[in-house]
Every structure is written in structure tokens, then in C-alpha cells.
Amino acid sequence: MLIIPAIDLKNGQCVRLRQGLMNDVTVFSGAPEKQARHWLDQGARRLHLVDLDGAFAGAPKNREAILAILQEVGNEIPVQLGGGFRSLDTIEAALDAGLRYAIIGTAAVKNPGFLRDACSVFAGHILVGLDARDGKVATDGWSKLSGHEVVDLAKKYEDYGVEAIIYTDIGRDGMLSGVNVQATARLAEALSIPVIASGGLSSLADIDALCAAEDKGIFATIAGRAIYDGSLDFREAQARADKSAA
């Protein structure tokens, strides 16, 4: 089980939101590239970036911060980024800059043809972020709730050739209330591609529960607020996950 530190970007800063609300923000660092280096030094094997401004605007907005992180990380570990990918040109530019995986969220729901094209042109580099509340997929930076069921959309995207699904339970994101392991495992069981859990990670108990469901197809989990406020030690969490797999 891979523990992936999240770096959420807003106005060039590393922040965390509660339940995706842009007005409920905590700033953790004014130098995101230094935060990226910190997680590398702690043993991170992948980084998860989110351009929060881009997610709402529909186009990348934190380019300088993203480029600084990619330059800092180099080829040491893979970096995945979500928020504002709406065109093939935008994806190409990000991959050329050193990004390993582009995460498509809202555009996957609203324009499935774009997702299909992206999977074809950039095979092996496309992830889909499915953010849900009570099993229904949300879009536009979580501000709108669609009528689509998570499992139904995920199966369709699997057929398109996406590498993995990032599943976020919006109600738990940034709340330190525990990962929705049951819903994540249910989604993973329905697919043959890996699922990355997101939202609510808060303790080693969550790590244990996710590891216990790893055989369902849960490949990794994204760590956010808990590793920033100190309630979960990242190095200890990854060691715990590695020990469970041993």
C-alpha cells in the first residue's frame, strides 16, 4: 500500500481545504517546492498535486508552483496532478514538464470523448478522479452533484484505458474522520484497474483497514491534513503499510 502525500495548491501556496470548500482553507506552506522536498526526504514514493484554482477555473492556475515542484523532484519519484485539465495540449505541456500522471476529473464526466482521446494519445499517463458524496459523483471542484453513480462511471472509464481511479469521499475530505474503506473497496472490487483511496485518512487504524482491503484492488491512499497537522506521522504510516505487505 502506497501512502501518497498531497500538496494542494491555492494562490501559489500549499493549503488544505475542509470538504473542498474554498473559503475553509488552512495555509501550510508558502513554498510548495520545499514541501515536496520534505515529503521526499520523509520517504515518499509518489506525490499528489491538486491545482485547486484550476479545478474551479477549468484551466491550470498554479503553473509556477507546479513547475517549481517538478523541477525540485526531477525524476526521483512520479508526480500526479489534477485540477484544470480540459485539453490535450494542457496535458501534453504538463507531461513534457516532467509530470508522470494527469488526473482528469470534471472533464471526464462532462466530456467523456475528451477522456477517451486523452487515454489514447497519452496511454499510461491518465488517471481519473471520481469525487463523490453518498455514492453520487460531484464535479466543478465538488460544487455540483451529478446524478451519476461512481461504479457505473468507473467501469466506463476502465474501458477507455485509464491507469487508475482516485476515489474521494467528499464528506470525509479534510475532516480527519477516517477513510470510507467500505465504499472504496466496493468500487475496487468492481474494477480490474487499481483504485487510490482519498479523503479522511487520519490514523494508523485507517492504514490497517486499507491494507486489509488491499486485495480488493486498493493500490494506494492519499494523505492530506493528517500528515500536515501531525496527527499522523507519514514515515510511520508508510512503514506500517510496508510491514502489512511483507
Side-chain angles (χ1 to χ4, degrees):
M1 178 73 62
L2 201 62
I3 315 299
I4 309 175
I7 298 179
D8 289 2
L9 301 168
K10 185 176 188 294
N11 297 327
Q13 298 176 310
C14 172
V15 307
R16 293 302 297 170
L17 306 183
R18 292 181 187 274
Q19 295 186 313
L21 299 174
M22 290 292 271
N23 61 354
D24 193 348
V25 59
T26 303
V27 177
F28 284 102
S29 174
E33 72 279 8
K34 293 182 179 179
Q35 190 64 59
R37 172 52 57 184
H38 169 74
W39 294 128
L40 259 69
D41 291 344
Q42 290 291 306
R45 300 169 198 165
R46 186 186 291 203
L47 289 179
H48 175 79
L49 311 185
V50 180
D51 183 342
L52 294 169
D53 302 301
F56 280 86
K61 292 295 181 181
N62 285 278
R63 290 186 180 89
E64 289 186 11
I66 293 165
L67 289 174
I69 291 171
L70 292 174
Q71 290 171 1
E72 179 69 34
V73 172
N75 294 320
E76 293 184 57
I77 61 172
V79 177
Q80 59 193 44
L81 166 68
F85 285 120
R86 301 288 192 276
S87 73
L88 298 181
D89 288 344
T90 304
I91 295 173
E92 183 175 25
L95 295 178
D96 286 346
L99 189 73
R100 180 73 62 85
Y101 301 106
I103 304 166
I104 300 176
T106 294
V109 180
K110 293 188 171 183
N111 187 1
F114 164 62
L115 175 63
R116 188 187 295 110
D117 290 344
C119 289
S120 175
V121 176
F122 307 110
H125 296 281
I126 303 299
L127 310 179
V128 165
L130 285 179
D131 309 323
R133 192 188 302 274
D134 299 325
K136 300 292 185 181
V137 174
T139 62
D140 299 279
W142 300 352
S143 62
K144 298 178 181 178
L145 202 62
S146 76
H148 298 290
E149 294 286 342
V150 171
V151 173
D152 293 341
L153 280 184
K155 286 182 175 179
K156 181 166 71 173
Y157 300 156
E158 178 180 37
D159 291 340
Y160 290 174
V162 302
E163 281 295 291
I165 299 290
I166 300 174
Y167 174 69
T168 302
D169 186 321
I170 298 170
R172 302 198 185 202
D173 189 73
M175 302 302 290
L176 302 179
S177 57
V179 178
N180 192 336
V181 179
Q182 184 178 12
T184 307
R186 185 164 57 247
L187 174 61
E189 277 189 302
L191 306 172
S192 60
I193 56 175
V195 170
I196 299 173
S198 176
L201 185 72
S202 62
S203 66
L204 291 176
D206 287 330
I207 301 296
D208 291 339
L210 285 164
C211 288
E214 190 169 8
D215 62 345
K216 307 291 187 184
I218 302 176
F219 159 73
T221 184
I222 293 169
R225 182 173 291 273
I227 59 173
Y228 282 91
D229 69 13
S231 57
L232 180 66
D233 181 88
F234 172 78
R235 192 184 292 273
E236 184 180 7
Q238 186 61 71
R240 183 74 155 255
D242 291 343
K243 183 178 180 181
S244 175

